[in-house]
């Protein structure tokens, strides 16, 4: 064997490992670490463009303070994004789980149905979703037309019915948003061995029981992945108002410092939400890992 | 002897009878169950196909059809006129070419870089690995908005505005749009492959990179397909980054041109409303609606076709990549 550089086996292994990921590390500094640092620097300065490029004057936490005090648009936008996230993410998870169970059964045309359920990820994301929403095509006509409001009005009091129907309206968007999550759940369901179900059946478990005692604990890791994905997706979606607002502040009003500060506030908020998710899932994840 | 035989036979017949009865009862139940099952599946499918049906139906309507309240889905006369107008407004072929360069270029580069990086993470143990892996996850979680301003000034200083470089260069390094997610997918995929093949290759004297290139990469086809399709679709539909770095209409991709077209349509509808009163604005808006939908159809048609042909492999390979593992 030729001996290169006089490295030990272990040393060579480490070097090879690093050479595979070196490209990513370089990119990490160029496109993540340095921009993140500079963005923080921007946020505590007042950036003004002059002939020699950007001129920074230190203003401390002024940008952050004005986001919470003088800016009347930012906080309501943040609040509405949070409420949409909190109401829609659980719905997405439940719906994705339900669909995955449906699509995992042995049925004819399974591939076609799976293809259909994933369709909105292909077409109704980004710019196209905006146009569809503008024309009101992001709501099913069952809820808006057809006089459903008046028909149900006889049975349910109006002040309960109205938010209920509004919620139902957003269901279409929820369903369109759950394509990736459905796929992840299906992939998870495939990994559960049929023997577990057989054993549960032998022990006299009903379908309902075997879902909660076998299926559910087995796909908790996927539930975790999906929760993370849904939250990140919600926060960075094309129709997210906060994203638009930050863009507008930074690039239309050329207020780079303030835009960067808003970006950081947004980031911290997302980090808090994700940390809470981590804490919630930590115990059940540890349990499922222990099982192997 | 004969009685025994008869007895055996009757036993068997009893048994088969019982089995038959059992399955029949089961089947009777399952037919109702199946019907319900398909009903649920079909009605859900409708929700998912609905936007596509809406786009197709609206885009084929003439202005009269849109205004006609009796027509909901099928226009009286099919007209491709909307498509002609939309294609003109979209500046279709140049925008299409830009979209292709951005999405297919980035997707192919991301496959190459992310699979290399994912392999390094999945198959090597080195000090600092846990830290870098955490950084990959971190990169996925940071919203693009937080770092957008410095990135913009960075690319501006490099003179990369109105070029495809802000998409291509990060993709080469395994970053770019959702690059971290793709790295994670490849890590997950390589982790579940057996070590035997690699060991055999190494014993036969292949170097680290050769082992990767000749042995492991060809095995990663399912993961590559998933990453490719996701990357193409997300780049195709992305509006955020192109809007930052491509500022001149000649460099617009299709999504951008579409948004631009929508803006023009909105403005002209408003002007029509302002100049001739609200009454005509109601008549005016739908005529633009169908042109916009024709534009939308033209925008999504290429990836729709791509999806149509790869859909089967795609759904299968998501299962095989084991994306779902932690």
């Amino acid at each position: 064997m030729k001996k290169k550089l006089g490295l030990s086996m272990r040393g060579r292994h480490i070097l090879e490992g690093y050479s595979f990921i070196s490209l990513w590390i370089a990119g990490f500094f160029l496109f993540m670490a340095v921009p993140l640092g500079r963005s923080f620097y921007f946020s505590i300065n007042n950036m003004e463009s002059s002939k020699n490029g950007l001129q920074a004057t230190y203003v401390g936490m002024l940008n952050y303070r004005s986001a919470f005090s003088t800016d009347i648009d930012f906080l309501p936008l943040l609040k509405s994004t949070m409420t949409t996230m909190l109401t829609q993410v659980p719905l997405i998870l439940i719906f994705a789980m339900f669909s995955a169970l449906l699509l995992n059964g042995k049925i004819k045309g399974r591939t076609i149905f799976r293809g259909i359920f994933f369709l909105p990820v292909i077409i109704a994301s980004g710019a196209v979703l905006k146009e569809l929403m503008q024309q009101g095509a992001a709501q099913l006509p069952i809820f808006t037309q057809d006089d459903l409001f008046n028909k149900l009005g006889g049975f349910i009091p109006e002040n309960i019915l109205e938010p209920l129907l509004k919620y139902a309206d957003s269901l279409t968007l929820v369903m369109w948003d759950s394509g990736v999550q459905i796929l992840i759940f299906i992939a998870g369901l495939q990994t559960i061995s049929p023997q577990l179900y057989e054993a549960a059946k032998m022990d006299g478990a009903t379908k309902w029981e075997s879902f909660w005692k076998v299926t559910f604990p087995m796909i908790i890791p996927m539930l975790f992945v999906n929760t993370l994905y849904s939250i990140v997706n919600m926060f960075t979606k094309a129709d997210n108002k906060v994203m638009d607002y930050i863009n507008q502040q930074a690039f239309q009003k050329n207020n780079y410092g303030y835009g960067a500060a808003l970006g950081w506030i947004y980031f911290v908020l997302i980090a808090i939400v994700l940390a809470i998710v981590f804490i919630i899932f930590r115990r059940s994840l540890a349990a499922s890992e222990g099982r192997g | 002897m004969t009685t025994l035989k008869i007895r055996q036979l009757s036993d068997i017949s009893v048994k088969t009878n019982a089995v038959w009865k059992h399955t029949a009862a089961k089947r009777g139940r399952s037919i109702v169950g199946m019907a319900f099952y398909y009903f649920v599946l079909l009605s859900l499918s409708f929700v998912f196909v609905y936007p596509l049906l809406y786009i197709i139906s609206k885009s084929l309507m003439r202005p009269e059809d849109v205004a006609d309240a009796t027509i909901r889905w099928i226009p009286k006369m099919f007209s491709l006129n909307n498509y002609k107008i939309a294609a003109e407004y979209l500046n279709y072929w140049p925008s299409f070419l830009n979209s292709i360069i951005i999405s297919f270029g980035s997707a192919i580069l991301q496959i190459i870089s992310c699979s290399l990086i994912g392999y390094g993470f999945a198959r090597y143990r080195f000090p600092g690995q846990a830290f870098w892996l955490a950084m990959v996850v971190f990169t996925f979680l940071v919203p693009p908005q937080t770092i957008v301003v410095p990135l913009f000034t960075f690319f501006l200083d490099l003179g990369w505005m109105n070029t495809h470089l802000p998409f291509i260069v990060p993709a080469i390094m395994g970053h770019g749009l959702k690059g971290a997610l793709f790295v994670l997918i490849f890590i997950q995929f390589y982790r579940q492959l057996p070590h035997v093949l690699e060991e055999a290759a190494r014993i036969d004297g292949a170097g680290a990179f050769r082992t990767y290139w000749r042995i492991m990469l060809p095995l990663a086809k399912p993961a590559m397909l998933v990453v490719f399709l996701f990357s193409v679709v997300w780049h195709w539909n992305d509006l955020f980054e192109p809007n930052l770095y491509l500022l001149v209409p000649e460099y617009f991709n299709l999504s951008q041109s579409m948004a631009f077209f929508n803006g023009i349509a909105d403005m002209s509808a408003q002007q029509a409303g302002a100049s001739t009163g609200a009454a005509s604005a109601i008549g005016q808006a739908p005529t633009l609606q169908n042109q916009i939908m024709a534009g939308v159809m033209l925008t999504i048609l290429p990836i729709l076709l791509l999806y149509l042909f790869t859909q089967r492999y795609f759904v299968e390979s998501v299962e095989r990549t084991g994306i779902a593992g932690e």
Side-chain angles (χ1 to χ4, degrees):
Chain A
M1 290 281 302
K2 48 187 173 175
K3 212 169 181 191
K4 271 189 211 161
L5 300 165
L7 282 168
S8 66
M9 276 286 273
R10 173 92 188 120
R12 216 172 102 183
H13 182 82
I14 291 171
L15 194 72
E16 279 171 10
Y18 262 108
S19 54
F20 273 112
I21 67 161
S22 58
L23 204 58
W24 193 85
I25 293 177
F28 176 75
F29 282 112
L30 273 178
F31 304 116
M32 182 51 67
V34 173
L36 204 60
R38 284 185 72 195
S39 150
F40 186 71
Y41 173 74
F42 281 11
S43 76
I44 53 169
N45 281 289
N46 191 19
M47 308 302 293
E48 252 173 88
S49 36
S50 64
K51 273 175 200 153
N52 339 320
L54 286 171
Q55 288 288 306
T57 37
Y58 179 75
V59 291
M61 301 307 269
L62 183 74
N63 283 327
Y64 289 92
R65 242 181 290 143
S66 58
F68 286 106
S69 53
T70 48
D71 194 333
I72 46 166
D73 295 323
F74 183 60
L75 280 184
L77 280 177
L78 212 55
K79 212 179 128 200
S80 82
T81 304
M82 281 298 283
T83 34
T84 343
M85 197 275 296
L86 284 176
T87 50
Q88 293 201 356
V89 166
L91 278 181
I92 288 176
L93 292 174
I94 293 168
F95 179 75
M97 175 98 79
F98 177 71
S99 308
L101 286 170
L102 273 182
L103 293 171
N104 200 39
K106 290 218 163 21
I107 42 157
K108 272 190 188 137
R110 192 164 71 160
T111 333
I112 296 169
F113 279 122
R114 285 182 185 179
I116 288 173
F117 276 54
F118 196 68
L119 203 58
V121 178
I122 308 286
I123 55 170
S125 62
V128 172
L129 183 66
K130 271 189 189 169
E131 267 105 51
L132 281 171
M133 282 169 84
Q134 228 174 46
Q135 300 204 2
Q139 286 145 11
L140 283 190
I142 318 166
F143 295 123
T144 47
Q145 300 165 12
D146 295 342
D147 226 15
L148 195 68
F149 187 81
N150 292 333
K151 274 177 198 152
L152 284 174
F155 307 100
I156 310 168
E158 245 175 65
N159 47 356
I160 300 177
L161 186 66
E162 222 182 277
L164 210 66
L165 280 183
K166 257 191 198 151
Y167 210 53
D169 263 349
S170 71
L171 270 184
T172 331
L173 280 180
V174 164
M175 287 162 82
W176 291 357
D177 263 342
S178 44
V180 176
Q181 289 88 330
I182 292 173
L183 277 190
I184 291 177
F185 271 138
I186 291 177
L189 289 173
Q190 300 276 322
T191 61
I192 304 173
S193 105
Q195 286 160 353
L196 283 174
Y197 289 111
E198 261 170 51
K201 209 174 166 191
M202 288 298 174
D203 290 342
T206 59
K207 282 244 164 100
W208 177 251
E209 279 169 331
S210 73
F211 171 76
W212 286 109
K213 300 271 152 92
V214 180
T215 314
F216 191 71
M218 290 299 281
I219 57 170
I220 279 182
M222 292 92 216
L223 192 64
F224 176 62
V225 170
N226 274 341
T227 313
L228 283 190
Y229 180 84
S230 311
I231 292 173
V232 170
N233 196 34
M234 271 289 166
F235 277 130
T236 55
K237 243 172 71 168
D239 63 325
N240 189 310
K241 298 260 169 30
V242 178
M243 301 276 282
D244 280 350
Y245 186 69
I246 296 176
N247 253 17
Q248 193 194 325
Q249 288 296 328
F251 298 110
Q252 280 168 26
K253 298 191 176 164
N254 279 330
N255 206 342
Y256 289 163
Y258 189 56
L262 292 184
W264 267 90
I265 295 170
Y266 198 45
F267 175 42
V268 169
L269 187 78
I270 295 175
I272 291 169
V273 172
L274 292 177
I276 293 169
V277 171
F278 264 104
I279 290 166
I280 292 172
F281 274 92
R282 198 177 52 187
R283 275 183 61 196
S284 37
L285 273 179
S288 75
E289 253 165 45
R291 243 198 343 267
Chain B
M1 192 60 188
T2 42
T3 47
L4 195 71
K5 235 184 189 169
I6 290 166
R7 220 214 221 135
Q8 270 180 338
L9 274 172
S10 67
D11 259 8
I12 290 165
S13 74
V14 165
K15 255 187 203 154
T16 48
N17 200 17
V19 168
W20 179 79
K21 249 186 189 163
H22 182 62
T23 48
K26 223 171 152 185
R27 197 170 288 162
R29 223 176 348 151
S30 70
I31 284 174
V32 178
M34 267 305 179
F36 180 67
Y37 198 85
Y38 276 104
F39 172 73
V40 174
L41 265 182
L42 283 172
S43 41
L44 285 179
S45 300
F46 173 71
V47 180
F48 290 104
V49 185
Y50 179 77
L52 194 59
L53 292 179
Y54 179 88
I55 294 166
I56 294 172
S57 151
K58 269 276 147 64
S59 69
L60 290 171
M61 285 183 189
R62 290 170 307 153
E64 304 92 283
D65 294 334
V66 181
D68 191 339
T70 57
I71 296 171
R72 241 178 157 176
W73 286 104
I74 302 159
K76 276 188 187 132
M77 279 261 286
F78 290 95
S79 137
L80 287 173
N81 200 26
N82 293 326
Y83 282 92
K84 237 185 254 161
I85 298 167
E88 225 164 85
Y89 270 108
L90 286 178
N91 192 15
Y92 193 70
W93 291 111
S95 308
F96 174 76
L97 204 65
N98 279 326
S99 272
I100 292 277
I101 293 170
I102 292 171
S103 55
F104 282 74
S106 311
I108 289 164
L109 290 169
Q110 274 182 328
I111 288 178
I112 297 169
S113 59
C114 295
S115 68
L116 192 76
I117 295 152
Y119 178 75
F121 273 115
R123 295 303 220 187
Y124 283 92
R125 296 284 160 272
F126 44 85
Q129 189 182 25
F131 171 75
W132 288 115
L133 200 57
M135 285 304 113
V136 176
V137 177
F138 176 78
T139 306
F140 172 60
L141 299 180
V142 173
Q145 223 64 49
T146 310
I147 53 166
V148 68
V149 177
L151 269 185
F152 177 78
T153 53
F154 177 53
F155 291 138
L156 190 69
D157 289 345
L158 288 172
W160 286 2
M161 286 297 129
N162 294 321
T163 65
H164 296 123
L165 288 172
F167 305 93
I168 300 298
V169 175
I172 290 173
M173 302 182 126
H175 286 259
L177 192 64
K178 309 239 182 198
L181 185 67
F182 299 142
V183 171
L184 290 173
I185 289 175
F186 274 110
I187 292 176
Q188 199 54 44
F189 180 79
Y190 283 122
R191 266 191 190 156
Q192 49 152 28
L193 291 180
H195 283 267
V196 190
L197 287 167
E198 267 167 308
E199 277 158 19
R202 294 309 285 269
I203 288 166
D204 286 347
F209 186 73
R210 209 175 133 111
T211 310
Y212 161 75
W213 185 253
R214 303 301 278 285
I215 310 290
M216 299 308 275
L217 195 62
L219 291 174
K221 270 181 200 140
M224 284 158 79
L225 184 69
V226 170
V227 168
F228 177 73
L229 201 64
F230 269 123
S231 181
V232 166
V233 166
W234 280 334
H235 275 105
W236 193 277
N237 288 329
D238 187 33
L239 204 57
F240 176 62
E241 286 195 335
N243 266 348
L244 284 178
Y245 307 130
L246 307 173
L247 308 167
V248 196
E250 321 151 34
Y251 288 100
F252 276 5
N253 71 0
L254 269 178
S255 293
Q256 274 179 294
S257 304
M258 189 56 231
F260 193 60
F261 175 38
N262 198 18
I264 294 174
D266 269 359
M267 267 193 348
S268 60
Q270 269 167 15
Q271 273 168 7
S275 59
T276 51
S280 75
I282 295 162
Q284 192 73 26
T287 51
L288 294 164
Q289 252 187 25
N290 49 24
Q291 285 166 16
I292 286 170
M293 280 304 132
V296 165
M297 191 64 205
L298 285 174
T299 310
I300 59 174
L301 194 63
I303 42 167
L304 205 60
L305 287 176
L306 177 75
Y307 179 63
L308 219 59
F309 289 114
T310 51
Q311 183 259 113
R312 218 164 56 98
Y313 310 100
F314 175 68
V315 177
E316 277 169 19
S317 34
V318 167
E319 277 166 22
R320 268 186 290 156
T321 37
I323 286 175
E326 305 98 275

